[in-house]
Amino acid sequence: MRSEKKHHMWIDYCRLIAIIFVIINHSNEEINLNPIGKSSVLLEFIGRMGVPIFLILTGYLMINREYDKNNACS
C-alpha cells in the first residue's frame, strides 16, 4: 500500500527563507571584498543559516512518519 504524503505549506516557506539566506551569503562574499563594517558580519551570520535549514528540512521529509505531541519524543 502506498501512503499519500500531505503537502505542508510551512515547508515551502522555510525553503523560501533558506533560498534567500543562501543568496544573501553569496552576495555577502562580494561585499566582503570591500568590508563595510558590522553589517557584513550580520549578513554573513544570516547567510550561513541557509544550508542548515535545507538539511533539517531534508531530514524531516525523509522520515516517513507523522509528528504530533504523542510521538515527537519516541
Side-chain angles (χ1 to χ4, degrees):
M1 271 188 129
R2 182 178 172 184
S3 63
E4 291 188 30
K5 294 186 177 183
K6 293 191 282 185
H7 184 81
H8 300 285
M9 285 300 296
W10 67 268
I11 293 176
D12 290 337
Y13 294 133
C14 288
R15 284 181 183 163
L16 176 63
I17 291 169
I19 290 168
I20 292 170
F21 285 176
V22 170
I23 292 170
I24 288 171
N25 187 39
H26 288 292
S27 300
N28 191 44
E29 289 176 2
E30 294 298 321
I31 291 172
N32 279 339
L33 294 177
N34 299 313
I36 58 174
K38 292 184 179 182
S39 63
S40 65
V41 173
L42 179 62
L43 290 175
E44 182 175 352
F45 175 76
I46 291 171
R48 295 210 177 249
M49 294 305 296
V51 173
I53 292 172
F54 276 120
L55 292 175
I56 291 168
L57 290 174
T58 301
Y60 175 81
L61 293 172
M62 288 179 68
I63 296 175
N64 189 19
R65 70 186 260 190
E66 289 291 322
Y67 289 93
D68 61 14
K69 291 181 181 180
N70 294 332
N71 66 5
C73 296
S74 60

